[in-house]
Amino acid sequence: MAIKDYFPVILGVLKDFRVIGTVIVMLLVIEFAKFVTTYRKKPPKPKNKKAPKAAAAPKEEKKEEKPAEGGEDSGGEEKK
């Protein structure tokens, strides 16, 4: 048998639906096995500890400044 006679036989085997199905199934099995062997669980995310409320950013309180009685430059009317 010459080399030219082998080509139709090889093409006939490769075109067979059982061969194509087997190749597809084996590729899926190999990919799944690769996934299983290389799988690593992601490390858990660190939980943020809640800061105590006292350590939280202080709120700015608006205080009205009252001028001292009898002080200088009170801005009001002078008493007689």
Side-chain angles (χ1 to χ4, degrees), residues 26-73:
M26 289 309 302
L27 287 174
L28 292 174
V29 169
I30 291 169
E31 288 296 319
F32 181 71
K34 180 182 172 187
F35 171 76
V36 169
T37 57
T38 60
Y39 179 77
R40 290 192 180 218
K41 196 176 220 180
K42 292 181 181 178
K45 294 181 180 177
K47 294 182 179 179
N48 294 335
K49 294 183 180 178
K50 293 184 179 178
K53 291 183 179 182
K59 296 180 181 177
E60 294 182 21
E61 296 180 13
K62 295 182 179 180
K63 294 182 180 178
E64 294 182 20
E65 294 183 19
K66 296 182 179 178
E69 291 181 20
E72 25 179 291
D73 220 16

Side-chain angles (χ1 to χ4, degrees), residues 4-21:
K4 292 181 181 180
D5 295 334
Y6 287 115
F7 285 117
V9 174
I10 292 172
L11 289 175
V13 170
L14 293 178
K15 287 182 181 180
D16 189 25
F17 69 93
R18 291 172 287 197
V19 174
I20 294 171

